[in-house]
Amino acid sequence: MDNAQLLNEIRETNLTYLLLAQRMIKDDKAAALFRLGITKEAAELIEALSPAQLLKIAAGNMLLCRFRFDNRILGDMLTGYVKDKIMASSHAAVLMAGQGAEPIAA
Amino acid sequence: MAGKSLVSEARQTQLAIDLIQHGARLQLLEAETTLSRERLPKLYKEVRGVSPPKGMLPFSTDWFISWQPNIHASLYIDIHRYLLTHAEIRGIEATLKAFKLYLEHCQSNHAEPVLSLTRAWSLVRFFDARLLQTTPCTRCGGHFVVHSLELYSNYVCGLCRVPSRAGKTKKAAEQARAVGLQRAA
């Protein structure tokens, strides 16, 4: 994959993510905070973005959505539950819900 | 009630309908809405088509400690706590929203929801009354529901150390047999 195409795809992913996040926050803020795993301040910031600002933020060379699993959660989802997939996902969900929200770096 | 307004009454009715649709029992409705005791059973019958169940609510905290309910209760209370700390919603709104998110989790994993809304509500009340609390599992770090005022220095959760007979219910055995028969056919 050449570089231009990569940047293009990053921008598209960013844009899709931001638009989805914005829609979720406008629909149901509390649920969106849980689903996105971000703080209220971050959500308010995203909610207030205008389309032009959204485009500007999306057009960088970095992905804006971050990986939410740490090693432990990932490990729990992948290993140990060969028999019972429901248990694996429940365990992961308990751990994820117990995690804090991603704050905006000051 | 002083300052009884039509708007607030409509809101309360809407809340009650939402609660009833999610399986709330009368005791919950009486405690969380301002609608009168005469109107609630009528509303219940209108929404669900049957009379509300009678009798007392289960009042034991032990149910939440047994293996499968404990996993579901822990998940629910973790979601609930997340909403309280980050989304700043309170009371019945938080209870209901957490319950909807919990149901979503069950649906997306094709698991049968073990908690009902009334159970979830009593779970939150048990937490408020400090009869139950959560403690971190020493292996996975997840927070799980336990009785208050006991020692949990080496607590390991039911998912890290699965009891040998966990999940092996009559129902599960029947389902497994049905799947086996289907495959054989």
Side-chain angles (χ1 to χ4, degrees):
Chain A
M1 186 156 44
D2 64 32
N3 212 21
Q5 196 190 343
L6 183 72
L7 287 176
N8 236 341
E9 281 185 27
I10 288 176
R11 198 181 58 220
E12 249 169 56
T13 310
N14 280 342
L15 204 58
T16 315
Y17 174 74
L18 285 173
L19 285 171
L20 176 67
Q22 211 171 36
R23 209 177 62 212
M24 280 160 69
I25 294 163
K26 276 180 185 156
D27 254 22
D28 182 344
K29 199 180 236 164
L33 289 180
F34 176 73
R35 285 187 234 256
L36 291 165
I38 56 176
T39 55
K40 205 175 182 192
E41 291 74 44
E44 272 158 10
L45 209 108
I46 294 176
E47 192 184 6
L49 289 176
S50 70
Q53 285 172 317
L54 247 148
L55 276 172
K56 221 184 266 176
I57 296 179
N61 60 350
M62 280 178 282
L63 268 180
L64 294 173
C65 41
R66 204 181 276 178
F67 215 54
R68 271 180 86 184
F69 311 123
D70 59 14
N71 303 339
R72 211 169 48 198
I73 298 177
L74 209 64
D76 264 320
M77 283 198 290
L78 295 174
T79 58
Y81 299 110
V82 199
K83 275 188 290 182
D84 200 339
K85 278 186 193 145
I86 296 170
M87 264 165 62
S89 62
S90 295
H91 206 173
V94 168
L95 294 180
M96 289 247 295
Q99 266 185 339
E102 193 71 44
I104 315 180
Chain B
M1 197 172 77
K4 194 172 185 177
S5 84
L6 278 175
V7 176
S8 86
E9 205 178 306
R11 279 212 191 102
Q12 288 291 323
T13 312
Q14 193 53 51
L15 172 68
I17 291 171
D18 209 6
L19 290 170
I20 293 168
Q21 277 169 344
H22 283 86
R25 290 187 48 180
L26 277 189
Q27 289 92 330
L28 195 168
L29 298 169
E30 275 171 20
E32 299 294 343
T33 66
T34 55
L35 300 181
S36 70
R37 275 171 186 237
E38 290 81 49
R39 294 183 58 191
L40 284 170
K42 270 190 210 153
L43 189 65
Y44 191 99
K45 204 162 180 190
E46 208 176 316
V47 174
R48 301 221 105 179
V50 287
S51 296
K54 292 191 176 70
M56 293 205 296
L57 293 184
F59 52 84
S60 165
T61 52
D62 292 338
W63 186 84
F64 296 102
I65 305 301
S66 56
W67 185 74
Q68 199 188 28
N70 186 253
I71 295 165
H72 286 250
S74 301
L75 175 61
Y76 174 81
I77 210 71
D78 284 341
I79 297 174
H80 186 257
R81 184 172 296 161
Y82 190 99
L83 291 180
L84 289 189
T85 42
H86 296 291
E88 289 166 25
I89 51 173
R90 292 281 170 272
I92 190 66
E93 195 192 351
T95 306
L96 187 60
K97 197 145 276 177
F99 186 70
K100 285 180 185 168
L101 286 165
Y102 159 77
L103 277 187
E104 259 177 24
H105 167 82
C106 291
Q107 273 164 9
S108 62
N109 289 299
H110 308 288
E112 210 169 304
V114 174
L115 246 56
S116 67
L117 179 60
T118 309
R119 281 269 191 207
W121 175 71
S122 7
L123 179 64
V124 173
R125 302 233 304 181
F126 286 144
F127 267 77
D128 289 344
R130 292 168 196 273
L131 291 168
L132 292 170
Q133 61 175 50
T134 60
T135 199
C137 165
T138 47
R139 280 198 209 162
C140 69
H143 294 266
F144 290 83
V145 175
V146 289
H147 283 299
S148 293
L149 307 171
E150 283 176 36
L151 290 172
Y152 298 105
S153 51
N154 286 311
Y155 179 76
V156 177
C157 71
L159 280 164
C160 288
R161 191 194 286 150
V162 181
S164 55
R165 290 190 53 76
K168 288 179 185 151
T169 54
K170 241 183 195 169
K171 208 169 161 191
E174 267 168 27
Q175 273 175 357
R177 219 184 53 197
V179 171
L181 284 176
Q182 266 181 2
R183 284 211 185 122

